[in-house]
Amino acid sequence: MRHEDDFGFRNSQYERPNQKWVCGRQADGQGCNIGPDGKGQCQALSECEPFKEGDRWHCNRPFTSGGKCEQGPLANGQCCLSRPPCKPKLSKRVIRGRIVMSASVLGLLIFASLFLMGSDNVFFSPGQLTSSHANIDSCQDCHGEATVFSSGHSNELTQQCADCHEFSEAPLQAHNMRFTDTLDETVSLQSQHQCQTCHQEHEGEAALNMTTAGKSCASCHTDVLEFPGSHPGLGDVAARPVSERALAFNHSTHANKYFPDQNQSEFECAQCHKPEAQAMGNDFAVQPFDQSCGDCHQSDVTGEFFDGGLVLWSVPAIDEARLGAGQELPEAVYDEQAFVSPAQAWLLNKLGDPPENLKAMVNFDLDPLDTSEFTAIQNQQVEYFVRESRQLLNALQAPNSRPQATDPAVEAMLAQLNPKQMQTADAYWFDDQPLPDDAPYYSQLNEGGTYLRGFTLRYRPSGHSDPLFKALIEDLVTGEKNAVNELLLKDLLSEEMAGQCGRCHQVNRDMADNSNIWQPASHQKPLTRFEHRPHMQPLSDQQCVDCHQAELDDAEHDFQQIEVQECGTCHQPEKVGNDCLQCHQYHAHPKTES
């Protein structure tokens, strides 16, 4: 075995690496034994320091420097081999220490300058935020005080997202929906999903680019590995039952029965529909009434072939003595046997504050001969109705005492119960005065309005989207559900009522969208999206009926279902693509996008 260095006593010098200074001749291999002092001054001016033994001086030069010299020390005890002083140098250890210290100080100065320059510095920032997050002031707004390597930081950041981006009742579950174990056995029902899985912030607008994220859908939906091969059927996406639509329009019936009856030669989709860039699921908008349905239904909505309108006010026949109403009614009212007006009872409930058990009184058969069968509650209801009706009638005749409208429906009703008309009605009903010569009849109100008929004040609608009918129906559908409101809504939607709203509009509390009950609500599933407009130009050589084929044998459906294979004709990787997110969205019901 060969040693690179020999540290034997006679062959090498003992170096002291912990000392600050080293001999200036150390690099040449001729370093002195004693070395510099602590201040860096050379201490070796001779080869050795002779020692005296008895009366003689002896040389003590070490073996590493050649051993004892032949001449020996001088008579005065000085070494005979003097050497000029060297210039000591700093040791490598000290030099390395100073370099490390300088680098550390320099690094601290650089980081301090970055902090002083602000967190938006390019060198310091982890990346650009999306435009929607650009107004965030500091990192702590989202990341809080969490450290970079905190084990729970991912969950905390996801909760921060949910605090601003409000979804449905399960913001951290898959698709922010509450699933049941039987919904889809192939879906992994994890307790939480992290927003960062798909949305990687600090990448600018690219963080919102989800065009390729659909490939990760198969990690949960293991049964849908390709489209259209293993994709489930589309169900009733294009074959929604007629009974579930806001517009009760049966395409097959119109095409095969009504259009031929009306000598309409063509039944084209563009006659009623126009593709618009509207809300998702309702982009194939229905043309306005005048351009689509008015040719056939204008006379229906104006009530041209009816002889009676909506009863706004009535003076029903009541046995005053038995009910204790304390009001005198004209004798003639008993001959007509008028009913209570649901609209009048609705207005009293709106303007007054009746006890709950008095709100149900409407459309009783108030034949005086039958009042003996009334219950105590019924007697109270009728008494309240008569008293409050007469007080409201008096108030409506004077502009200074008229009640103030509290909502659009009440405002629309009071607009028809104008002071002049109510003065005429009061004089005609209770003072036995004749109607003025210019009092209108139903047939004369082509533009709509009120008219007196017997002991009732009635209203003929002005046409499609009549302001009173529209306001009343919207209030009744979206408001409180009670006996008065239900009966009034039933009257307004009756096929026997002028206006014929209920003949085309299927308005009810279950189907209505409170924001606009007249527009067909989207029947797409919350995770599915489809727009007609992008499909129109590429398929310009096709017709609507190529996808929407009429169904003639099913009274409930007027279109056949669309098969998923039809979509697969174009949605292939080499054509328009078949990524999941082309037709689906991850979030089910986002409430806000802020």
Side-chain angles (χ1 to χ4, degrees), residues 24-80:
R25 298 186 182 93
Q26 186 75 30
D28 299 330
Q30 299 179 5
C32 62
N33 293 323
I34 189 171
D37 61 15
K39 297 181 179 181
Q41 301 296 324
C42 180
Q43 300 183 103
L45 301 179
S46 58
E47 290 289 333
C48 71
E49 293 184 4
F51 66 95
K52 189 175 183 181
E53 184 176 351
D55 56 355
R56 295 187 59 183
W57 292 92
H58 298 274
C59 178
N60 67 349
R61 188 171 66 169
F63 292 102
T64 56
S65 298
K68 294 182 179 181
C69 60
E70 294 180 0
Q71 184 176 353
L74 299 178
N76 59 1
Q78 293 183 352
C79 179
C80 64

Side-chain angles (χ1 to χ4, degrees), residues 115 225 235 257 318 340 366 411 549:
F115 276 105
L225 300 179
K257 179 180 178 181
I318 299 174
V340 173
L366 299 182
E411 182 178 4
Q549 299 181 17

Side-chain angles (χ1 to χ4, degrees), residues 360-439:
M361 197 279 298
V362 66
N363 269 12
F364 284 147
D365 183 359
L366 299 182
D367 188 324
L369 298 178
D370 295 334
T371 56
S372 60
E373 304 294 329
F374 279 12
T375 65
I377 292 296
Q378 288 176 322
N379 288 340
Q380 293 177 11
Q381 290 172 342
V382 176
E383 182 178 358
Y384 175 86
F385 174 81
V386 173
R387 182 181 67 253
E388 296 297 321
S389 294
R390 191 61 192 271
Q391 291 179 1
L392 181 56
L393 176 62
N394 293 333
L396 292 172
Q397 298 179 50
N400 295 333
S401 61
R402 289 175 62 82
Q404 298 295 319
T406 56
D407 55 49
V410 174
E411 182 178 4
M413 175 74 84
L414 294 180
Q416 299 303 324
L417 303 177
N418 61 78
K420 181 179 179 181
Q421 189 72 283
M422 301 310 292
Q423 291 170 8
T424 302
D426 186 48
Y428 178 56
W429 293 334
F430 295 98
D431 296 335
D432 200 22
Q433 294 184 14
L435 290 175
D437 295 337
D438 59 349

Side-chain angles (χ1 to χ4, degrees), residues 13 203 254 272 327 583 594:
Q13 295 179 338
E203 296 181 3
H254 278 75
C272 296
Q327 301 288 337
C583 300
S594 60

Side-chain angles (χ1 to χ4, degrees), residues 64 72 95 97 118 120 183 213 230 334 336 435 479 482 504 510 524 558:
T64 56
I95 294 174
D120 57 348
L183 178 66
S230 56
Y334 296 98
E336 294 197 8
L435 290 175
N482 56 50
C504 297
D510 297 327
Q524 291 186 358
D558 50 1

Side-chain angles (χ1 to χ4, degrees), residues 227-454:
F227 182 89
S230 56
H231 193 280
L234 302 182
D236 62 351
V237 169
R240 195 180 189 190
V242 177
S243 60
E244 295 181 6
R245 299 174 185 166
L247 291 176
F249 185 91
N250 189 302
H251 293 78
S252 295
T253 304
H254 278 75
N256 298 291
K257 179 180 178 181
Y258 297 143
F259 266 59
D261 289 349
Q262 297 294 326
N263 297 321
Q264 298 280 349
S265 58
E266 296 182 351
F267 182 76
E268 299 292 339
C269 302
Q271 290 177 270
C272 296
H273 293 283
K274 181 180 179 181
E276 298 284 357
Q278 294 186 355
M280 196 73 66
N282 188 29
D283 63 327
F284 212 57
V286 179
Q287 296 273 39
F289 174 82
D290 294 339
Q291 301 177 31
S292 56
C293 307
D295 289 345
C296 297
H297 293 283
Q298 181 64 28
S299 59
D300 293 330
V301 298
T302 59
E304 180 178 345
F305 300 112
F306 291 79
D307 61 356
L310 175 66
V311 178
L312 302 183
W313 203 277
S314 67
V315 183
I318 299 174
D319 185 349
E320 301 170 21
R322 299 193 61 139
L323 295 175
Q327 301 288 337
E328 287 189 19
L329 300 179
E331 288 293 331
V333 77
Y334 296 98
D335 297 330
E336 294 197 8
Q337 300 299 317
F339 291 97
V340 173
S341 162
Q344 185 178 353
W346 170 86
L347 184 62
L348 288 176
N349 288 342
K350 283 283 189 177
L351 296 178
D353 187 22
E356 189 64 33
N357 60 357
L358 300 185
K359 291 185 177 182
M361 197 279 298
V362 66
N363 269 12
F364 284 147
D365 183 359
L366 299 182
D367 188 324
L369 298 178
D370 295 334
T371 56
S372 60
E373 304 294 329
F374 279 12
T375 65
I377 292 296
Q378 288 176 322
N379 288 340
Q380 293 177 11
Q381 290 172 342
V382 176
E383 182 178 358
Y384 175 86
F385 174 81
V386 173
R387 182 181 67 253
E388 296 297 321
S389 294
R390 191 61 192 271
Q391 291 179 1
L392 181 56
L393 176 62
N394 293 333
L396 292 172
Q397 298 179 50
N400 295 333
S401 61
R402 289 175 62 82
Q404 298 295 319
T406 56
D407 55 49
V410 174
E411 182 178 4
M413 175 74 84
L414 294 180
Q416 299 303 324
L417 303 177
N418 61 78
K420 181 179 179 181
Q421 189 72 283
M422 301 310 292
Q423 291 170 8
T424 302
D426 186 48
Y428 178 56
W429 293 334
F430 295 98
D431 296 335
D432 200 22
Q433 294 184 14
L435 290 175
D437 295 337
D438 59 349
Y441 293 94
Y442 180 88
S443 59
Q444 297 174 324
L445 296 171
N446 295 325
E447 301 297 326
T450 57
Y451 66 99
L452 285 167
R453 178 175 176 179

